[in-house]
Each structure stands twice: as structure tokens, then as C-alpha cells.
Short mmCIF file of all heavy atoms in Angstrom, two decimals:
data_model
loop_
_atom_site.label_atom_id
_atom_site.label_comp_id
_atom_site.label_asym_id
_atom_site.label_seq_id
_atom_site.Cartn_x
_atom_site.Cartn_y
_atom_site.Cartn_z
N LYS J 1 63.19 -15.89 15.25
CA LYS J 1 62.57 -14.61 14.95
C LYS J 1 61.85 -14.00 16.14
O LYS J 1 61.97 -12.82 16.43
CB LYS J 1 61.57 -14.78 13.77
CG LYS J 1 62.24 -15.12 12.46
CD LYS J 1 61.12 -15.35 11.42
CE LYS J 1 61.75 -15.76 10.05
NZ LYS J 1 60.72 -16.02 9.06
N MET J 2 61.14 -14.86 16.90
CA MET J 2 60.46 -14.44 18.07
C MET J 2 61.45 -13.93 19.16
O MET J 2 61.25 -12.85 19.80
CB MET J 2 59.64 -15.58 18.62
CG MET J 2 58.90 -15.36 19.87
SD MET J 2 57.75 -16.70 20.26
CE MET J 2 58.96 -18.07 20.63
N SER J 3 62.53 -14.69 19.30
CA SER J 3 63.53 -14.28 20.35
C SER J 3 64.20 -12.96 19.97
O SER J 3 64.48 -12.13 20.86
CB SER J 3 64.58 -15.41 20.47
OG SER J 3 63.98 -16.61 20.83
N ARG J 4 64.49 -12.80 18.70
CA ARG J 4 65.14 -11.58 18.25
C ARG J 4 64.22 -10.35 18.50
O ARG J 4 64.68 -9.31 18.94
CB ARG J 4 65.47 -11.67 16.76
CG ARG J 4 66.15 -10.46 16.13
CD ARG J 4 66.56 -10.72 14.70
NE ARG J 4 67.12 -9.56 14.04
CZ ARG J 4 68.35 -9.20 14.11
NH1 ARG J 4 69.21 -9.89 14.82
NH2 ARG J 4 68.79 -8.07 13.51
N TYR J 5 62.96 -10.55 18.26
CA TYR J 5 61.97 -9.45 18.52
C TYR J 5 61.96 -9.12 20.00
O TYR J 5 61.95 -7.94 20.37
CB TYR J 5 60.59 -9.95 18.06
CG TYR J 5 59.47 -8.90 18.35
CD1 TYR J 5 59.21 -7.83 17.52
CD2 TYR J 5 58.74 -9.03 19.53
CE1 TYR J 5 58.20 -6.97 17.79
CE2 TYR J 5 57.77 -8.10 19.87
CZ TYR J 5 57.47 -7.09 18.94
OH TYR J 5 56.50 -6.18 19.31
N LEU J 6 61.89 -10.12 20.82
CA LEU J 6 61.91 -9.89 22.29
C LEU J 6 63.12 -9.01 22.70
O LEU J 6 62.92 -8.03 23.42
CB LEU J 6 61.97 -11.24 22.99
CG LEU J 6 62.31 -11.18 24.49
CD1 LEU J 6 61.18 -10.57 25.27
CD2 LEU J 6 62.60 -12.65 24.98
N ILE J 7 64.29 -9.38 22.24
CA ILE J 7 65.49 -8.64 22.68
C ILE J 7 65.55 -7.24 22.03
O ILE J 7 65.95 -6.30 22.70
CB ILE J 7 66.72 -9.43 22.26
CG1 ILE J 7 66.75 -10.84 22.97
CG2 ILE J 7 68.01 -8.65 22.58
CD1 ILE J 7 67.79 -11.78 22.46
N GLN J 8 65.13 -7.07 20.79
CA GLN J 8 65.15 -5.81 20.13
C GLN J 8 64.13 -4.83 20.69
O GLN J 8 64.42 -3.68 20.98
CB GLN J 8 64.86 -5.96 18.63
CG GLN J 8 66.02 -6.44 17.84
CD GLN J 8 65.69 -6.47 16.30
OE1 GLN J 8 64.62 -6.87 15.94
NE2 GLN J 8 66.66 -6.17 15.54
N LYS J 9 62.89 -5.30 20.89
CA LYS J 9 61.80 -4.42 21.23
C LYS J 9 61.58 -4.23 22.74
O LYS J 9 60.94 -3.27 23.20
CB LYS J 9 60.50 -4.92 20.58
CG LYS J 9 60.56 -4.94 19.07
CD LYS J 9 60.83 -3.58 18.49
CE LYS J 9 60.77 -3.67 16.96
NZ LYS J 9 61.04 -2.33 16.36
N HIS J 10 62.08 -5.21 23.53
CA HIS J 10 61.81 -5.13 24.99
C HIS J 10 63.12 -5.44 25.76
O HIS J 10 63.17 -6.35 26.57
CB HIS J 10 60.74 -6.15 25.38
CG HIS J 10 59.43 -5.91 24.68
ND1 HIS J 10 58.65 -4.80 24.96
CD2 HIS J 10 58.78 -6.59 23.75
CE1 HIS J 10 57.53 -4.79 24.22
NE2 HIS J 10 57.58 -5.90 23.46
N PRO J 11 64.15 -4.65 25.52
CA PRO J 11 65.45 -4.91 26.14
C PRO J 11 65.39 -4.86 27.70
O PRO J 11 66.10 -5.67 28.39
CB PRO J 11 66.38 -3.83 25.63
CG PRO J 11 65.45 -2.76 25.15
CD PRO J 11 64.23 -3.40 24.69
N ASP J 12 64.60 -3.98 28.25
CA ASP J 12 64.49 -3.90 29.70
C ASP J 12 63.85 -5.13 30.34
O ASP J 12 64.34 -5.75 31.28
CB ASP J 12 63.76 -2.67 30.17
CG ASP J 12 64.57 -1.40 29.85
OD1 ASP J 12 65.77 -1.46 29.70
OD2 ASP J 12 63.89 -0.31 29.70
N PHE J 13 62.79 -5.57 29.71
CA PHE J 13 62.10 -6.81 30.18
C PHE J 13 62.94 -8.04 29.83
O PHE J 13 62.84 -9.01 30.62
CB PHE J 13 60.70 -6.92 29.51
CG PHE J 13 59.66 -6.02 30.15
CD1 PHE J 13 58.88 -5.19 29.35
CD2 PHE J 13 59.44 -6.02 31.50
CE1 PHE J 13 57.90 -4.40 29.87
CE2 PHE J 13 58.45 -5.17 32.10
CZ PHE J 13 57.70 -4.36 31.23
N TYR J 14 63.69 -7.96 28.77
CA TYR J 14 64.52 -9.12 28.44
C TYR J 14 65.50 -9.46 29.56
O TYR J 14 65.85 -10.63 29.78
CB TYR J 14 65.27 -8.90 27.15
CG TYR J 14 66.24 -10.08 26.86
CD1 TYR J 14 65.72 -11.35 26.55
CD2 TYR J 14 67.60 -9.87 26.92
CE1 TYR J 14 66.57 -12.43 26.33
CE2 TYR J 14 68.49 -10.96 26.70
CZ TYR J 14 67.96 -12.21 26.44
OH TYR J 14 68.79 -13.23 26.23
N GLU J 15 65.90 -8.44 30.33
CA GLU J 15 66.88 -8.69 31.45
C GLU J 15 66.23 -9.64 32.43
O GLU J 15 66.99 -10.30 33.20
CB GLU J 15 67.18 -7.32 32.12
CG GLU J 15 68.01 -6.40 31.18
CD GLU J 15 68.33 -5.09 31.91
OE1 GLU J 15 67.95 -4.93 33.09
OE2 GLU J 15 68.95 -4.21 31.25
N TRP J 16 64.94 -9.75 32.53
CA TRP J 16 64.32 -10.70 33.48
C TRP J 16 64.65 -12.11 33.11
O TRP J 16 64.56 -13.00 34.02
CB TRP J 16 62.75 -10.54 33.45
CG TRP J 16 62.29 -9.19 34.01
CD1 TRP J 16 63.05 -8.12 34.34
CD2 TRP J 16 60.94 -8.84 34.30
NE1 TRP J 16 62.29 -7.09 34.84
CE2 TRP J 16 60.96 -7.52 34.81
CE3 TRP J 16 59.75 -9.52 34.21
CZ2 TRP J 16 59.80 -6.91 35.22
CZ3 TRP J 16 58.56 -8.88 34.62
CH2 TRP J 16 58.59 -7.55 35.07
N PHE J 17 64.98 -12.38 31.85
CA PHE J 17 65.30 -13.77 31.45
C PHE J 17 66.63 -14.25 32.01
O PHE J 17 66.93 -15.45 31.90
CB PHE J 17 65.27 -13.89 29.95
CG PHE J 17 63.85 -13.88 29.40
CD1 PHE J 17 63.19 -12.66 29.26
CD2 PHE J 17 63.20 -15.08 29.07
CE1 PHE J 17 61.89 -12.65 28.71
CE2 PHE J 17 61.89 -15.01 28.56
CZ PHE J 17 61.23 -13.79 28.39
N SER J 18 67.42 -13.36 32.56
CA SER J 18 68.73 -13.71 33.17
C SER J 18 68.64 -13.92 34.63
O SER J 18 69.59 -14.32 35.30
CB SER J 18 69.76 -12.70 32.85
OG SER J 18 69.50 -11.42 33.48
N ILE J 19 67.42 -13.61 35.27
CA ILE J 19 67.25 -13.84 36.65
C ILE J 19 67.26 -15.34 37.04
O ILE J 19 66.62 -16.13 36.43
CB ILE J 19 65.94 -13.20 37.18
CG1 ILE J 19 65.98 -11.73 36.93
CG2 ILE J 19 65.66 -13.52 38.63
CD1 ILE J 19 64.69 -10.95 37.20
N LYS J 20 68.09 -15.73 38.05
CA LYS J 20 68.37 -17.11 38.26
C LYS J 20 67.36 -17.72 39.23
O LYS J 20 67.25 -18.98 39.28
CB LYS J 20 69.78 -17.28 38.79
CG LYS J 20 70.84 -16.92 37.75
CD LYS J 20 72.25 -17.11 38.31
CE LYS J 20 73.26 -16.78 37.20
NZ LYS J 20 74.65 -16.92 37.80
N GLU J 21 66.63 -16.96 40.04
CA GLU J 21 65.61 -17.56 40.93
C GLU J 21 64.48 -16.60 41.18
O GLU J 21 64.65 -15.36 41.09
CB GLU J 21 66.24 -18.06 42.18
CG GLU J 21 66.84 -17.02 43.08
CD GLU J 21 67.39 -17.58 44.39
OE1 GLU J 21 67.89 -18.71 44.39
OE2 GLU J 21 67.25 -16.86 45.42
N PHE J 22 63.35 -17.15 41.56
CA PHE J 22 62.16 -16.38 41.89
C PHE J 22 61.48 -16.99 43.12
O PHE J 22 61.30 -18.22 43.12
CB PHE J 22 61.23 -16.38 40.70
CG PHE J 22 59.87 -15.82 41.00
CD1 PHE J 22 59.73 -14.49 41.36
CD2 PHE J 22 58.74 -16.59 40.91
CE1 PHE J 22 58.47 -13.96 41.66
CE2 PHE J 22 57.44 -16.05 41.19
CZ PHE J 22 57.33 -14.75 41.52
N THR J 23 61.14 -16.19 44.02
CA THR J 23 60.39 -16.64 45.22
C THR J 23 58.98 -16.15 45.21
O THR J 23 58.74 -15.03 45.06
CB THR J 23 61.10 -16.12 46.55
OG1 THR J 23 62.45 -16.66 46.53
CG2 THR J 23 60.41 -16.61 47.77
N TRP J 24 58.06 -17.12 45.36
CA TRP J 24 56.65 -16.75 45.40
C TRP J 24 56.08 -17.04 46.81
O TRP J 24 56.21 -18.15 47.34
CB TRP J 24 55.90 -17.58 44.38
CG TRP J 24 54.39 -17.52 44.46
CD1 TRP J 24 53.54 -18.56 44.66
CD2 TRP J 24 53.58 -16.37 44.39
NE1 TRP J 24 52.22 -18.10 44.72
CE2 TRP J 24 52.22 -16.75 44.51
CE3 TRP J 24 53.85 -14.98 44.21
CZ2 TRP J 24 51.20 -15.83 44.52
CZ3 TRP J 24 52.79 -14.07 44.18
CH2 TRP J 24 51.49 -14.51 44.33
N ASP J 25 55.48 -15.97 47.38
CA ASP J 25 54.95 -16.09 48.70
C ASP J 25 53.57 -16.70 48.60
O ASP J 25 52.53 -16.00 48.68
CB ASP J 25 54.88 -14.71 49.40
CG ASP J 25 54.56 -14.80 50.86
OD1 ASP J 25 54.50 -15.95 51.41
OD2 ASP J 25 54.31 -13.72 51.43
N ARG J 26 53.53 -17.99 48.39
CA ARG J 26 52.24 -18.63 48.07
C ARG J 26 51.22 -18.70 49.23
O ARG J 26 51.59 -18.63 50.37
CB ARG J 26 52.51 -20.11 47.60
CG ARG J 26 53.31 -20.94 48.59
CD ARG J 26 53.53 -22.33 48.01
NE ARG J 26 54.45 -23.07 48.88
CZ ARG J 26 54.60 -24.36 48.88
NH1 ARG J 26 53.84 -25.09 48.07
NH2 ARG J 26 55.47 -24.98 49.65
N THR J 27 50.00 -18.84 48.84
CA THR J 27 48.92 -18.97 49.82
C THR J 27 48.88 -20.37 50.41
O THR J 27 49.06 -21.35 49.72
CB THR J 27 47.55 -18.73 49.10
OG1 THR J 27 47.54 -17.42 48.52
CG2 THR J 27 46.40 -18.83 50.11
N GLY J 28 48.76 -20.43 51.71
CA GLY J 28 48.59 -21.76 52.36
C GLY J 28 49.90 -22.52 52.51
O GLY J 28 49.85 -23.75 52.61
N GLY J 29 51.07 -21.88 52.46
CA GLY J 29 52.29 -22.62 52.65
C GLY J 29 53.46 -21.61 52.70
O GLY J 29 53.34 -20.40 52.56
N ASP J 30 54.65 -22.20 52.96
CA ASP J 30 55.84 -21.37 53.02
C ASP J 30 56.18 -20.81 51.65
O ASP J 30 55.80 -21.43 50.64
CB ASP J 30 57.00 -22.19 53.56
CG ASP J 30 56.78 -22.62 55.03
OD1 ASP J 30 56.13 -21.85 55.74
OD2 ASP J 30 57.36 -23.70 55.39
N PRO J 31 56.84 -19.66 51.55
CA PRO J 31 57.35 -19.14 50.29
C PRO J 31 58.12 -20.23 49.58
O PRO J 31 58.87 -21.05 50.20
CB PRO J 31 58.17 -17.98 50.65
CG PRO J 31 57.67 -17.55 52.01
CD PRO J 31 57.24 -18.80 52.71
N ILE J 32 58.00 -20.28 48.25
CA ILE J 32 58.71 -21.26 47.47
C ILE J 32 59.63 -20.59 46.50
O ILE J 32 59.30 -19.68 45.75
CB ILE J 32 57.73 -22.21 46.70
CG1 ILE J 32 58.54 -23.30 45.94
CG2 ILE J 32 56.79 -21.50 45.84
CD1 ILE J 32 57.65 -24.43 45.42
N THR J 33 60.93 -21.02 46.58
CA THR J 33 61.91 -20.45 45.65
C THR J 33 62.24 -21.45 44.61
O THR J 33 62.61 -22.58 44.92
CB THR J 33 63.17 -20.06 46.45
OG1 THR J 33 62.80 -19.04 47.39
CG2 THR J 33 64.25 -19.47 45.51
N GLN J 34 62.24 -21.03 43.34
CA GLN J 34 62.60 -21.90 42.23
C GLN J 34 63.71 -21.27 41.41
O GLN J 34 63.73 -20.08 41.20
CB GLN J 34 61.42 -22.24 41.36
CG GLN J 34 60.26 -22.93 42.11
CD GLN J 34 59.17 -23.32 41.16
OE1 GLN J 34 59.29 -24.21 40.36
NE2 GLN J 34 58.02 -22.56 41.26
N GLY J 35 64.58 -22.13 40.87
CA GLY J 35 65.65 -21.57 40.05
C GLY J 35 65.32 -21.62 38.61
O GLY J 35 64.39 -22.37 38.13
N ASN J 36 65.96 -20.76 37.82
CA ASN J 36 65.79 -20.76 36.38
C ASN J 36 66.27 -22.05 35.78
O ASN J 36 67.43 -22.55 36.14
CB ASN J 36 66.56 -19.54 35.79
CG ASN J 36 66.11 -19.18 34.42
OD1 ASN J 36 66.02 -20.04 33.50
ND2 ASN J 36 65.83 -17.95 34.18
N ARG J 37 65.58 -22.65 34.83
CA ARG J 37 65.96 -23.93 34.26
C ARG J 37 66.97 -23.81 33.12
O ARG J 37 67.44 -24.83 32.61
CB ARG J 37 64.72 -24.64 33.75
CG ARG J 37 63.79 -25.12 34.87
CD ARG J 37 62.39 -25.51 34.32
NE ARG J 37 61.59 -26.17 35.31
CZ ARG J 37 61.01 -25.57 36.33
NH1 ARG J 37 61.15 -24.33 36.52
NH2 ARG J 37 60.25 -26.29 37.20
N ASN J 38 67.35 -22.56 32.74
CA ASN J 38 68.34 -22.45 31.67
C ASN J 38 69.69 -22.72 32.17
O ASN J 38 70.26 -21.97 32.96
CB ASN J 38 68.27 -20.99 31.12
CG ASN J 38 69.18 -20.74 29.95
OD1 ASN J 38 69.98 -21.55 29.59
ND2 ASN J 38 69.02 -19.57 29.34
N PRO J 39 70.30 -23.87 31.69
CA PRO J 39 71.63 -24.24 32.27
C PRO J 39 72.74 -23.33 31.92
O PRO J 39 73.76 -23.21 32.58
CB PRO J 39 71.81 -25.63 31.66
CG PRO J 39 71.06 -25.57 30.34
CD PRO J 39 69.80 -24.75 30.66
N LEU J 40 72.60 -22.58 30.81
CA LEU J 40 73.71 -21.68 30.36
C LEU J 40 73.83 -20.48 31.26
O LEU J 40 74.95 -19.84 31.24
CB LEU J 40 73.43 -21.26 28.91
CG LEU J 40 73.31 -22.36 27.88
CD1 LEU J 40 73.34 -21.74 26.44
CD2 LEU J 40 74.36 -23.41 28.00
N LEU J 41 72.87 -20.11 32.02
CA LEU J 41 73.02 -18.97 32.93
C LEU J 41 74.04 -19.25 34.04
O LEU J 41 74.59 -18.35 34.65
CB LEU J 41 71.67 -18.71 33.63
CG LEU J 41 70.49 -18.21 32.71
CD1 LEU J 41 69.30 -17.92 33.55
CD2 LEU J 41 70.93 -17.00 31.91
N TYR J 42 74.36 -20.54 34.22
CA TYR J 42 75.27 -20.91 35.35
C TYR J 42 76.66 -21.24 34.83
O TYR J 42 77.53 -21.67 35.60
CB TYR J 42 74.68 -22.10 36.13
CG TYR J 42 73.24 -21.84 36.60
CD1 TYR J 42 72.17 -22.27 35.82
CD2 TYR J 42 72.98 -21.23 37.76
CE1 TYR J 42 70.84 -22.08 36.21
CE2 TYR J 42 71.72 -20.97 38.16
CZ TYR J 42 70.63 -21.38 37.36
OH TYR J 42 69.32 -21.14 37.75
N LYS J 43 76.92 -21.01 33.51
CA LYS J 43 78.17 -21.43 32.93
C LYS J 43 79.24 -20.32 32.87
O LYS J 43 80.34 -20.56 32.32
CB LYS J 43 77.94 -22.03 31.55
CG LYS J 43 77.38 -23.45 31.54
CD LYS J 43 77.25 -23.95 30.15
CE LYS J 43 76.90 -25.45 30.14
NZ LYS J 43 78.01 -26.31 30.61
N ASN J 44 78.90 -19.12 33.15
CA ASN J 44 79.83 -17.94 33.11
C ASN J 44 80.40 -17.78 31.68
O ASN J 44 81.57 -17.58 31.47
CB ASN J 44 80.97 -18.18 34.09
CG ASN J 44 81.75 -16.92 34.31
OD1 ASN J 44 81.22 -15.84 34.27
ND2 ASN J 44 83.07 -17.04 34.56
N ILE J 45 79.47 -17.87 30.69
CA ILE J 45 79.90 -17.63 29.33
C ILE J 45 79.25 -16.37 28.72
O ILE J 45 79.41 -16.10 27.53
CB ILE J 45 79.57 -18.85 28.41
CG1 ILE J 45 78.05 -19.09 28.39
CG2 ILE J 45 80.36 -20.07 28.88
CD1 ILE J 45 77.65 -20.18 27.43
#
């Protein structure tokens, strides 16, 4: 129910859930890039 609401009411923001990586320019260190943990994003389905 929660997921359906997300997709119905916030379709533009929902597109962010398909982004595969995010880079954070952290304080006190090099930028860190992390991948999305959702394995289905990488299956081409």
C-alpha cells in the first residue's frame, strides 16, 4: 500500500528509486560513490 502511494502520488520523485549510484562529496575524505542495493535494477527486466 505504501509503495503504491509513492508511485501514484509522487511519480517524479519515484524516478529517483531507479538511480543506480550516488556520489557524496563527504567532509574530510574523498568523494564516496555507492551503488543502489536493489538487484533487480541490474537485470534488464
Side-chain angles (χ1 to χ4, degrees):
K1 292 176 182 179
M2 176 173 67
S3 301
R4 182 176 174 83
Y5 175 86
L6 166 67
I7 297 168
Q8 282 183 320
K9 299 300 182 180
H10 300 292
D12 292 338
F13 283 127
Y14 176 66
E15 293 178 4
W16 291 11
F17 286 80
S18 65
I19 296 173
K20 294 180 180 178
E21 65 178 33
F22 170 63
T23 299
W24 169 238
D25 190 7
R26 56 179 169 161
T27 302
D30 294 331
I32 182 168
T33 299
Q34 298 186 74
N36 197 311
R37 290 165 169 76
N38 183 350
L40 302 192
L41 296 181
Y42 308 93
K43 283 183 172 291
N44 195 32
I45 60 173

